[in-house]
Short mmCIF file of all heavy atoms in Angstrom, two decimals:
data_model
loop_
_atom_site.label_atom_id
_atom_site.label_comp_id
_atom_site.label_asym_id
_atom_site.label_seq_id
_atom_site.Cartn_x
_atom_site.Cartn_y
_atom_site.Cartn_z
N LEU V 1 -0.94 -12.58 4.24
CA LEU V 1 -1.58 -11.31 4.20
C LEU V 1 -3.07 -11.44 4.57
O LEU V 1 -3.78 -12.45 4.22
CB LEU V 1 -1.56 -10.81 2.71
CG LEU V 1 -0.15 -10.54 2.25
CD1 LEU V 1 -0.07 -10.27 0.69
CD2 LEU V 1 0.66 -9.46 2.97
N LYS V 2 -3.44 -10.38 5.29
CA LYS V 2 -4.84 -10.42 5.80
C LYS V 2 -5.80 -9.62 4.90
O LYS V 2 -5.27 -8.77 4.15
CB LYS V 2 -4.90 -9.92 7.19
CG LYS V 2 -4.51 -8.43 7.30
CD LYS V 2 -4.52 -7.94 8.73
CE LYS V 2 -4.31 -6.50 8.95
NZ LYS V 2 -5.26 -5.69 8.35
N GLU V 3 -7.11 -9.77 5.12
CA GLU V 3 -8.04 -8.99 4.37
C GLU V 3 -8.00 -7.61 4.94
O GLU V 3 -7.65 -7.39 6.08
CB GLU V 3 -9.42 -9.56 4.48
CG GLU V 3 -9.50 -10.90 3.83
CD GLU V 3 -10.87 -11.60 4.01
OE1 GLU V 3 -11.66 -11.24 4.85
OE2 GLU V 3 -11.20 -12.42 3.21
N LEU V 4 -8.39 -6.64 4.10
CA LEU V 4 -8.34 -5.17 4.51
C LEU V 4 -9.71 -4.68 4.98
O LEU V 4 -10.70 -4.96 4.47
CB LEU V 4 -7.90 -4.25 3.39
CG LEU V 4 -6.50 -4.49 2.81
CD1 LEU V 4 -6.28 -3.62 1.62
CD2 LEU V 4 -5.44 -4.21 3.81
N THR V 5 -9.68 -3.89 6.13
CA THR V 5 -10.93 -3.30 6.64
C THR V 5 -11.08 -2.13 5.67
O THR V 5 -10.25 -1.62 4.93
CB THR V 5 -10.70 -2.79 8.05
OG1 THR V 5 -9.75 -1.80 8.14
CG2 THR V 5 -10.41 -3.96 8.96
N SER V 6 -12.28 -1.49 5.70
CA SER V 6 -12.54 -0.28 4.90
C SER V 6 -11.60 0.82 5.28
O SER V 6 -11.10 1.59 4.36
CB SER V 6 -14.04 0.13 5.02
OG SER V 6 -14.31 0.45 6.32
N ASP V 7 -11.23 0.96 6.55
CA ASP V 7 -10.33 1.96 6.91
C ASP V 7 -8.94 1.71 6.37
O ASP V 7 -8.25 2.62 5.92
CB ASP V 7 -10.22 2.05 8.47
CG ASP V 7 -9.29 3.10 8.91
OD1 ASP V 7 -9.50 4.27 8.49
OD2 ASP V 7 -8.44 2.90 9.80
N GLU V 8 -8.46 0.45 6.34
CA GLU V 8 -7.22 0.17 5.78
C GLU V 8 -7.16 0.32 4.23
O GLU V 8 -6.22 0.76 3.70
CB GLU V 8 -6.77 -1.28 6.19
CG GLU V 8 -6.47 -1.50 7.58
CD GLU V 8 -6.34 -2.93 8.00
OE1 GLU V 8 -7.13 -3.76 7.43
OE2 GLU V 8 -5.55 -3.28 8.89
N MET V 9 -8.36 -0.03 3.68
CA MET V 9 -8.44 0.24 2.17
C MET V 9 -8.24 1.75 1.84
O MET V 9 -7.58 2.01 0.88
CB MET V 9 -9.75 -0.32 1.64
CG MET V 9 -9.74 -1.84 1.35
SD MET V 9 -11.16 -2.36 0.45
CE MET V 9 -11.11 -1.36 -1.03
N SER V 10 -8.88 2.49 2.59
CA SER V 10 -8.81 3.98 2.33
C SER V 10 -7.31 4.39 2.49
O SER V 10 -6.94 5.34 1.79
CB SER V 10 -9.71 4.80 3.17
OG SER V 10 -9.29 4.68 4.54
N ARG V 11 -6.56 3.78 3.39
CA ARG V 11 -5.16 4.17 3.63
C ARG V 11 -4.30 3.54 2.65
O ARG V 11 -3.08 3.90 2.53
CB ARG V 11 -4.77 3.80 5.03
CG ARG V 11 -5.40 4.62 6.05
CD ARG V 11 -4.81 4.38 7.40
NE ARG V 11 -4.86 2.94 7.83
CZ ARG V 11 -5.27 2.49 8.93
NH1 ARG V 11 -5.85 3.30 9.75
NH2 ARG V 11 -5.26 1.15 9.10
N ALA V 12 -4.71 2.58 1.79
CA ALA V 12 -3.93 1.92 0.77
C ALA V 12 -3.61 2.78 -0.44
O ALA V 12 -2.78 2.51 -1.30
CB ALA V 12 -4.45 0.59 0.35
N ASP V 13 -4.25 3.95 -0.41
CA ASP V 13 -4.01 4.95 -1.53
C ASP V 13 -2.79 5.67 -1.34
O ASP V 13 -2.63 6.76 -0.92
CB ASP V 13 -5.27 5.86 -1.61
CG ASP V 13 -5.15 6.89 -2.66
OD1 ASP V 13 -4.33 6.62 -3.63
OD2 ASP V 13 -5.80 7.93 -2.51
N THR V 14 -1.65 4.94 -1.58
CA THR V 14 -0.30 5.46 -1.30
C THR V 14 0.00 6.70 -2.01
O THR V 14 0.63 7.60 -1.46
CB THR V 14 0.70 4.35 -1.65
OG1 THR V 14 0.45 3.16 -1.05
CG2 THR V 14 2.12 4.81 -1.32
N ASP V 15 -0.42 6.89 -3.31
CA ASP V 15 -0.03 8.08 -4.04
C ASP V 15 -1.03 9.27 -3.85
O ASP V 15 -0.84 10.26 -4.34
CB ASP V 15 0.18 7.79 -5.48
CG ASP V 15 -1.12 7.24 -6.24
OD1 ASP V 15 -2.16 7.34 -5.63
OD2 ASP V 15 -1.00 6.86 -7.38
N GLY V 16 -2.10 9.01 -3.05
CA GLY V 16 -3.04 10.10 -2.70
C GLY V 16 -3.87 10.54 -3.84
O GLY V 16 -4.51 11.64 -3.85
N ASP V 17 -4.16 9.76 -4.92
CA ASP V 17 -4.95 10.14 -6.00
C ASP V 17 -6.44 9.84 -5.87
O ASP V 17 -7.19 10.11 -6.72
CB ASP V 17 -4.41 9.65 -7.37
CG ASP V 17 -4.68 8.11 -7.50
OD1 ASP V 17 -5.13 7.39 -6.49
OD2 ASP V 17 -4.37 7.70 -8.61
N GLY V 18 -6.88 9.29 -4.75
CA GLY V 18 -8.27 8.90 -4.46
C GLY V 18 -8.67 7.49 -4.93
O GLY V 18 -9.83 7.24 -4.76
N GLU V 19 -7.77 6.81 -5.56
CA GLU V 19 -8.00 5.49 -6.00
C GLU V 19 -6.92 4.48 -5.56
O GLU V 19 -5.76 4.89 -5.46
CB GLU V 19 -8.14 5.48 -7.55
CG GLU V 19 -9.27 6.30 -8.11
CD GLU V 19 -9.33 6.18 -9.60
OE1 GLU V 19 -8.40 6.66 -10.21
OE2 GLU V 19 -10.27 5.66 -10.14
N ILE V 20 -7.29 3.22 -5.41
CA ILE V 20 -6.32 2.17 -5.17
C ILE V 20 -6.08 1.51 -6.47
O ILE V 20 -6.88 0.86 -7.10
CB ILE V 20 -6.91 1.14 -4.11
CG1 ILE V 20 -7.08 1.92 -2.70
CG2 ILE V 20 -5.81 0.07 -3.92
CD1 ILE V 20 -7.75 1.09 -1.71
N THR V 21 -4.82 1.76 -7.01
CA THR V 21 -4.48 1.21 -8.36
C THR V 21 -3.04 0.57 -8.27
O THR V 21 -2.43 0.69 -7.14
CB THR V 21 -4.50 2.35 -9.39
OG1 THR V 21 -3.39 3.26 -9.03
CG2 THR V 21 -5.75 3.08 -9.45
N ILE V 22 -2.54 0.12 -9.39
CA ILE V 22 -1.23 -0.49 -9.41
C ILE V 22 -0.24 0.56 -9.14
O ILE V 22 0.92 0.26 -8.71
CB ILE V 22 -0.99 -1.25 -10.75
CG1 ILE V 22 0.18 -2.15 -10.70
CG2 ILE V 22 -0.91 -0.26 -11.90
CD1 ILE V 22 0.06 -3.32 -9.69
N MET V 23 -0.50 1.79 -9.32
CA MET V 23 0.42 2.86 -9.11
C MET V 23 0.75 2.99 -7.63
O MET V 23 1.80 3.43 -7.22
CB MET V 23 -0.05 4.19 -9.58
CG MET V 23 -0.13 4.29 -11.10
SD MET V 23 1.36 3.71 -12.02
CE MET V 23 2.50 5.01 -11.46
N ASP V 24 -0.16 2.61 -6.76
CA ASP V 24 0.06 2.66 -5.32
C ASP V 24 1.13 1.49 -4.95
O ASP V 24 2.05 1.79 -4.14
CB ASP V 24 -1.30 2.34 -4.56
CG ASP V 24 -2.24 3.50 -4.79
OD1 ASP V 24 -1.89 4.64 -4.55
OD2 ASP V 24 -3.39 3.21 -5.23
N ALA V 25 0.96 0.41 -5.49
CA ALA V 25 1.91 -0.72 -5.31
C ALA V 25 3.28 -0.37 -5.90
O ALA V 25 4.33 -0.58 -5.30
CB ALA V 25 1.40 -2.02 -5.89
N THR V 26 3.22 0.33 -7.08
CA THR V 26 4.49 0.70 -7.72
C THR V 26 5.19 1.77 -6.88
O THR V 26 6.44 1.71 -6.78
CB THR V 26 4.20 1.27 -9.15
OG1 THR V 26 3.59 0.28 -9.94
CG2 THR V 26 5.44 1.72 -9.88
N ALA V 27 4.49 2.73 -6.25
CA ALA V 27 5.15 3.68 -5.42
C ALA V 27 5.88 3.01 -4.23
O ALA V 27 6.96 3.52 -3.95
CB ALA V 27 4.18 4.74 -4.88
N ILE V 28 5.26 2.02 -3.70
CA ILE V 28 5.95 1.26 -2.56
C ILE V 28 7.18 0.54 -3.10
O ILE V 28 8.22 0.58 -2.51
CB ILE V 28 4.89 0.27 -1.94
CG1 ILE V 28 3.83 1.00 -1.24
CG2 ILE V 28 5.65 -0.64 -0.95
CD1 ILE V 28 2.70 0.17 -0.72
N GLN V 29 7.12 -0.11 -4.27
CA GLN V 29 8.18 -0.84 -4.83
C GLN V 29 9.31 0.14 -5.13
O GLN V 29 10.58 -0.15 -4.86
CB GLN V 29 7.84 -1.59 -6.12
CG GLN V 29 6.88 -2.73 -5.79
CD GLN V 29 6.25 -3.36 -7.00
OE1 GLN V 29 5.92 -2.66 -7.99
NE2 GLN V 29 5.94 -4.62 -6.90
N LEU V 30 9.01 1.33 -5.67
CA LEU V 30 10.14 2.35 -5.93
C LEU V 30 10.79 2.75 -4.73
O LEU V 30 11.92 3.06 -4.57
CB LEU V 30 9.48 3.47 -6.76
CG LEU V 30 9.18 3.12 -8.21
CD1 LEU V 30 8.35 4.32 -8.79
CD2 LEU V 30 10.37 2.80 -9.06
N HIS V 31 9.92 2.93 -3.67
CA HIS V 31 10.44 3.44 -2.36
C HIS V 31 11.44 2.32 -1.76
O HIS V 31 12.48 2.61 -1.39
CB HIS V 31 9.34 3.62 -1.37
CG HIS V 31 9.80 3.92 0.01
ND1 HIS V 31 10.27 5.23 0.37
CD2 HIS V 31 9.79 3.22 1.16
CE1 HIS V 31 10.56 5.19 1.64
NE2 HIS V 31 10.22 4.02 2.14
N ILE V 32 10.99 1.04 -1.76
CA ILE V 32 11.82 -0.05 -1.30
C ILE V 32 13.15 -0.13 -2.11
O ILE V 32 14.20 -0.32 -1.50
CB ILE V 32 11.07 -1.41 -1.38
CG1 ILE V 32 9.96 -1.42 -0.43
CG2 ILE V 32 12.12 -2.53 -1.14
CD1 ILE V 32 9.01 -2.52 -0.71
N ALA V 33 13.12 0.11 -3.38
CA ALA V 33 14.31 0.07 -4.25
C ALA V 33 15.17 1.39 -4.11
O ALA V 33 16.16 1.50 -4.74
CB ALA V 33 13.93 -0.14 -5.66
N GLN V 34 14.72 2.33 -3.36
CA GLN V 34 15.27 3.62 -3.12
C GLN V 34 15.45 4.43 -4.32
O GLN V 34 16.39 5.16 -4.55
CB GLN V 34 16.63 3.44 -2.44
CG GLN V 34 16.55 2.77 -1.09
CD GLN V 34 17.86 2.61 -0.45
OE1 GLN V 34 18.99 2.67 -0.99
NE2 GLN V 34 17.86 2.30 0.91
N LEU V 35 14.44 4.32 -5.29
CA LEU V 35 14.43 5.02 -6.48
C LEU V 35 13.40 6.30 -6.32
O LEU V 35 13.42 7.18 -7.12
CB LEU V 35 13.96 4.13 -7.66
CG LEU V 35 14.94 3.07 -8.06
CD1 LEU V 35 14.28 2.13 -9.05
CD2 LEU V 35 16.23 3.60 -8.40
N GLU V 36 12.57 6.20 -5.32
CA GLU V 36 11.60 7.21 -5.10
C GLU V 36 11.32 7.17 -3.47
O GLU V 36 11.30 6.09 -2.84
CB GLU V 36 10.32 6.96 -5.87
CG GLU V 36 9.25 8.00 -5.74
CD GLU V 36 8.08 7.66 -6.68
OE1 GLU V 36 8.26 7.66 -7.79
OE2 GLU V 36 7.03 7.44 -6.05
N ILE V 37 11.09 8.39 -2.86
CA ILE V 37 10.81 8.45 -1.52
C ILE V 37 9.35 8.65 -1.30
O ILE V 37 8.76 9.50 -1.91
CB ILE V 37 11.61 9.50 -0.89
CG1 ILE V 37 13.18 9.17 -0.99
CG2 ILE V 37 11.28 9.81 0.44
CD1 ILE V 37 14.14 10.07 -0.42
N ILE V 38 8.79 7.85 -0.46
CA ILE V 38 7.42 8.14 0.09
C ILE V 38 7.50 9.15 1.24
O ILE V 38 8.11 8.91 2.18
CB ILE V 38 6.68 6.88 0.51
CG1 ILE V 38 6.51 5.90 -0.71
CG2 ILE V 38 5.45 7.09 1.24
CD1 ILE V 38 5.95 4.58 -0.40
N PHE V 39 6.95 10.27 1.08
CA PHE V 39 7.03 11.34 1.97
C PHE V 39 6.31 10.97 3.30
O PHE V 39 5.39 10.17 3.32
CB PHE V 39 6.61 12.68 1.44
CG PHE V 39 7.41 13.18 0.29
CD1 PHE V 39 6.97 12.96 -1.01
CD2 PHE V 39 8.60 13.68 0.57
CE1 PHE V 39 7.82 13.32 -2.06
CE2 PHE V 39 9.44 14.06 -0.42
CZ PHE V 39 9.11 13.98 -1.74
N GLU V 40 6.73 11.56 4.33
CA GLU V 40 6.20 11.24 5.68
C GLU V 40 4.64 11.23 5.80
O GLU V 40 4.09 10.36 6.34
CB GLU V 40 6.79 12.31 6.70
CG GLU V 40 6.79 11.85 8.17
CD GLU V 40 7.53 10.52 8.38
OE1 GLU V 40 8.60 10.32 7.77
OE2 GLU V 40 7.06 9.70 9.16
N ASP V 41 3.98 12.15 5.08
CA ASP V 41 2.57 12.23 5.20
C ASP V 41 1.87 11.00 4.48
O ASP V 41 0.73 10.79 4.67
CB ASP V 41 2.05 13.52 4.74
CG ASP V 41 2.33 13.84 3.26
OD1 ASP V 41 3.34 13.26 2.77
OD2 ASP V 41 1.65 14.66 2.66
N MET V 42 2.59 10.32 3.58
CA MET V 42 2.05 9.25 2.92
C MET V 42 2.52 7.80 3.49
O MET V 42 2.00 6.77 3.00
CB MET V 42 2.31 9.30 1.41
CG MET V 42 1.72 10.53 0.72
SD MET V 42 -0.06 10.66 0.99
CE MET V 42 -0.62 9.27 -0.09
N ARG V 43 3.43 7.84 4.43
CA ARG V 43 4.00 6.60 4.93
C ARG V 43 2.90 5.73 5.57
O ARG V 43 2.95 4.58 5.46
CB ARG V 43 5.07 6.89 6.00
CG ARG V 43 6.31 7.38 5.38
CD ARG V 43 7.44 7.60 6.38
NE ARG V 43 7.85 6.29 6.91
CZ ARG V 43 8.75 5.48 6.25
NH1 ARG V 43 9.24 5.89 5.06
NH2 ARG V 43 9.08 4.32 6.75
N ALA V 44 1.89 6.37 6.24
CA ALA V 44 0.82 5.56 6.90
C ALA V 44 -0.02 4.88 5.79
O ALA V 44 -0.54 3.73 6.10
CB ALA V 44 -0.09 6.47 7.75
N CYS V 45 -0.14 5.53 4.69
CA CYS V 45 -0.88 4.86 3.59
C CYS V 45 -0.07 3.77 2.92
O CYS V 45 -0.71 2.75 2.64
CB CYS V 45 -1.21 5.89 2.45
SG CYS V 45 -2.21 7.23 3.07
N ALA V 46 1.23 3.95 2.79
CA ALA V 46 2.04 2.80 2.26
C ALA V 46 2.22 1.62 3.12
O ALA V 46 2.26 0.55 2.61
CB ALA V 46 3.41 3.44 1.95
N ASP V 47 2.12 1.82 4.43
CA ASP V 47 2.18 0.62 5.36
C ASP V 47 0.84 -0.03 5.58
O ASP V 47 0.24 0.10 6.49
CB ASP V 47 2.74 1.13 6.59
CG ASP V 47 3.01 0.00 7.67
OD1 ASP V 47 3.08 -1.20 7.23
OD2 ASP V 47 3.10 0.31 8.87
N THR V 48 0.41 -0.75 4.42
CA THR V 48 -1.01 -1.25 4.41
C THR V 48 -1.21 -2.34 5.45
O THR V 48 -2.36 -2.48 5.95
CB THR V 48 -1.28 -1.86 3.09
OG1 THR V 48 -0.43 -2.89 2.73
CG2 THR V 48 -1.29 -0.77 1.97
N ASP V 49 -0.15 -3.10 5.86
CA ASP V 49 -0.34 -4.12 6.87
C ASP V 49 -0.09 -3.61 8.31
O ASP V 49 -0.24 -4.37 9.32
CB ASP V 49 0.37 -5.35 6.58
CG ASP V 49 1.94 -5.07 6.53
OD1 ASP V 49 2.40 -4.05 6.99
OD2 ASP V 49 2.71 -6.04 6.13
N LYS V 50 0.27 -2.32 8.45
CA LYS V 50 0.38 -1.68 9.72
C LYS V 50 1.37 -2.30 10.70
O LYS V 50 1.25 -2.45 11.78
CB LYS V 50 -0.87 -1.46 10.38
CG LYS V 50 -1.82 -0.72 9.57
CD LYS V 50 -1.36 0.63 9.29
CE LYS V 50 -2.21 1.36 8.23
NZ LYS V 50 -1.44 2.17 7.23
N ASP V 51 2.55 -2.83 9.97
CA ASP V 51 3.59 -3.44 10.91
C ASP V 51 4.69 -2.50 11.21
O ASP V 51 5.66 -2.95 11.78
CB ASP V 51 4.12 -4.87 10.23
CG ASP V 51 4.92 -4.52 8.95
OD1 ASP V 51 4.94 -3.37 8.51
OD2 ASP V 51 5.46 -5.41 8.35
N GLY V 52 4.57 -1.33 10.77
CA GLY V 52 5.60 -0.27 11.09
C GLY V 52 6.64 -0.17 9.98
O GLY V 52 7.52 0.78 10.18
N ASP V 53 6.68 -1.00 9.01
CA ASP V 53 7.70 -0.92 7.97
C ASP V 53 6.94 -0.93 6.62
O ASP V 53 5.87 -1.57 6.44
CB ASP V 53 8.55 -2.21 8.06
CG ASP V 53 9.39 -2.17 9.21
OD1 ASP V 53 10.06 -1.08 9.58
OD2 ASP V 53 9.48 -3.21 9.97
N ILE V 54 7.55 -0.31 5.66
CA ILE V 54 7.12 -0.29 4.26
C ILE V 54 7.86 -1.30 3.56
O ILE V 54 9.12 -1.23 3.39
CB ILE V 54 7.23 1.05 3.58
CG1 ILE V 54 6.45 2.10 4.33
CG2 ILE V 54 6.78 0.94 2.14
CD1 ILE V 54 6.67 3.58 3.87
N THR V 55 7.24 -2.50 3.24
CA THR V 55 7.91 -3.60 2.58
C THR V 55 7.16 -4.07 1.39
O THR V 55 6.07 -3.68 1.09
CB THR V 55 7.96 -4.85 3.62
OG1 THR V 55 6.63 -5.32 3.82
CG2 THR V 55 8.61 -4.43 4.93
N ILE V 56 7.74 -5.11 0.65
CA ILE V 56 7.09 -5.70 -0.49
C ILE V 56 5.71 -6.24 -0.13
O ILE V 56 4.91 -6.40 -0.94
CB ILE V 56 8.04 -6.68 -1.13
CG1 ILE V 56 7.57 -7.00 -2.49
CG2 ILE V 56 8.20 -7.95 -0.33
CD1 ILE V 56 7.67 -5.79 -3.51
N LEU V 57 5.56 -6.71 1.13
CA LEU V 57 4.23 -7.26 1.59
C LEU V 57 3.13 -6.21 1.40
O LEU V 57 1.98 -6.53 1.13
CB LEU V 57 4.34 -7.77 3.03
CG LEU V 57 5.17 -9.03 3.11
CD1 LEU V 57 5.16 -9.39 4.64
CD2 LEU V 57 4.66 -10.16 2.22
N ASP V 58 3.47 -4.93 1.63
CA ASP V 58 2.47 -3.87 1.48
C ASP V 58 2.07 -3.73 -0.05
O ASP V 58 0.87 -3.62 -0.34
CB ASP V 58 3.03 -2.54 2.00
CG ASP V 58 3.32 -2.53 3.51
OD1 ASP V 58 2.50 -2.93 4.29
OD2 ASP V 58 4.52 -2.33 3.83
N ALA V 59 3.05 -3.76 -0.84
CA ALA V 59 2.79 -3.69 -2.30
C ALA V 59 1.99 -4.94 -2.74
O ALA V 59 1.06 -4.86 -3.58
CB ALA V 59 4.11 -3.60 -3.09
N THR V 60 2.36 -6.09 -2.21
CA THR V 60 1.66 -7.25 -2.62
C THR V 60 0.20 -7.27 -2.18
O THR V 60 -0.60 -7.69 -2.91
CB THR V 60 2.43 -8.54 -1.98
OG1 THR V 60 3.75 -8.58 -2.51
CG2 THR V 60 1.66 -9.83 -2.39
N GLN V 61 -0.03 -6.66 -1.01
CA GLN V 61 -1.36 -6.60 -0.51
C GLN V 61 -2.23 -5.80 -1.43
O GLN V 61 -3.37 -6.11 -1.71
CB GLN V 61 -1.35 -6.09 0.92
CG GLN V 61 -2.64 -6.23 1.68
CD GLN V 61 -2.56 -5.89 3.14
OE1 GLN V 61 -1.89 -4.98 3.48
NE2 GLN V 61 -3.27 -6.73 3.91
N ILE V 62 -1.68 -4.65 -1.91
CA ILE V 62 -2.42 -3.76 -2.77
C ILE V 62 -2.67 -4.53 -4.15
O ILE V 62 -3.74 -4.56 -4.70
CB ILE V 62 -1.70 -2.46 -3.01
CG1 ILE V 62 -1.72 -1.54 -1.80
CG2 ILE V 62 -2.34 -1.68 -4.26
CD1 ILE V 62 -0.80 -0.42 -1.88
N GLN V 63 -1.66 -5.22 -4.61
CA GLN V 63 -1.84 -5.93 -5.87
C GLN V 63 -2.90 -7.07 -5.76
O GLN V 63 -3.67 -7.24 -6.66
CB GLN V 63 -0.44 -6.60 -6.30
CG GLN V 63 0.64 -5.56 -6.66
CD GLN V 63 1.94 -6.13 -6.83
OE1 GLN V 63 2.36 -7.05 -6.18
NE2 GLN V 63 2.77 -5.50 -7.69
N MET V 64 -2.91 -7.73 -4.59
CA MET V 64 -3.91 -8.77 -4.47
C MET V 64 -5.29 -8.15 -4.33
O MET V 64 -6.28 -8.73 -4.84
CB MET V 64 -3.61 -9.67 -3.20
CG MET V 64 -2.33 -10.45 -3.36
SD MET V 64 -1.82 -11.38 -1.92
CE MET V 64 -3.21 -12.57 -1.85
N LEU V 65 -5.36 -7.06 -3.70
CA LEU V 65 -6.74 -6.27 -3.61
C LEU V 65 -7.22 -6.00 -5.05
O LEU V 65 -8.39 -6.19 -5.35
CB LEU V 65 -6.54 -5.08 -2.67
CG LEU V 65 -7.77 -4.24 -2.52
CD1 LEU V 65 -8.81 -4.94 -1.74
CD2 LEU V 65 -7.39 -2.92 -1.84
N ILE V 66 -6.34 -5.43 -5.75
CA ILE V 66 -6.70 -5.00 -7.15
C ILE V 66 -7.11 -6.25 -8.04
O ILE V 66 -8.12 -6.18 -8.76
CB ILE V 66 -5.54 -4.24 -7.84
CG1 ILE V 66 -5.28 -2.92 -7.17
CG2 ILE V 66 -5.78 -4.07 -9.36
CD1 ILE V 66 -3.94 -2.23 -7.54
N ALA V 67 -6.40 -7.32 -7.82
CA ALA V 67 -6.64 -8.56 -8.60
C ALA V 67 -8.01 -9.27 -8.07
O ALA V 67 -8.36 -10.33 -8.63
CB ALA V 67 -5.54 -9.52 -8.48
N GLY V 68 -8.47 -8.87 -6.92
CA GLY V 68 -9.69 -9.45 -6.42
C GLY V 68 -9.38 -10.65 -5.56
O GLY V 68 -10.27 -11.44 -5.19
N LEU V 69 -8.09 -10.86 -5.15
CA LEU V 69 -7.69 -11.96 -4.34
C LEU V 69 -7.78 -11.68 -2.84
O LEU V 69 -7.76 -12.52 -2.02
CB LEU V 69 -6.34 -12.39 -4.61
CG LEU V 69 -6.08 -12.81 -6.08
CD1 LEU V 69 -4.59 -13.07 -6.41
CD2 LEU V 69 -6.87 -14.09 -6.40
N LEU V 70 -8.03 -10.41 -2.52
CA LEU V 70 -8.33 -10.02 -1.08
C LEU V 70 -9.67 -9.32 -1.08
O LEU V 70 -9.97 -8.61 -2.03
CB LEU V 70 -7.32 -9.04 -0.61
CG LEU V 70 -5.94 -9.54 -0.01
CD1 LEU V 70 -5.13 -8.39 0.45
CD2 LEU V 70 -6.12 -10.50 1.07
N GLN V 71 -10.37 -9.47 -0.05
CA GLN V 71 -11.70 -8.86 0.10
C GLN V 71 -11.66 -7.82 1.21
O GLN V 71 -10.88 -7.90 2.14
CB GLN V 71 -12.67 -9.95 0.52
CG GLN V 71 -12.88 -11.03 -0.59
CD GLN V 71 -13.34 -10.42 -1.88
OE1 GLN V 71 -14.23 -9.60 -1.96
NE2 GLN V 71 -12.75 -10.96 -2.97
N GLN V 72 -12.49 -6.87 1.03
CA GLN V 72 -12.69 -5.86 2.12
C GLN V 72 -13.54 -6.45 3.15
O GLN V 72 -14.58 -7.06 2.83
CB GLN V 72 -13.32 -4.55 1.57
CG GLN V 72 -13.52 -3.55 2.61
CD GLN V 72 -14.21 -2.32 1.97
OE1 GLN V 72 -14.29 -2.13 0.80
NE2 GLN V 72 -14.66 -1.48 2.91
N VAL V 73 -13.18 -6.33 4.44
CA VAL V 73 -13.92 -6.88 5.63
C VAL V 73 -14.55 -5.71 6.34
O VAL V 73 -14.24 -4.58 6.22
CB VAL V 73 -13.13 -7.84 6.46
CG1 VAL V 73 -12.78 -8.96 5.71
CG2 VAL V 73 -11.93 -7.06 7.07
#
């Protein structure tokens, strides 16, 4: 996983509440498990690594950011 630019950090706000929290990672996990759908307008936010897919790596990147294991570049 790579460090996030400030632009990528602003897009990591998957749930659109203005903050990057564990709820953003949880929204991605629920989407992957097909328990909740991330709507089209939030898909760009959920794909934090910009590989074109919403995967567990996107959720992990947010979790690492929250834990201070990733830095903003």
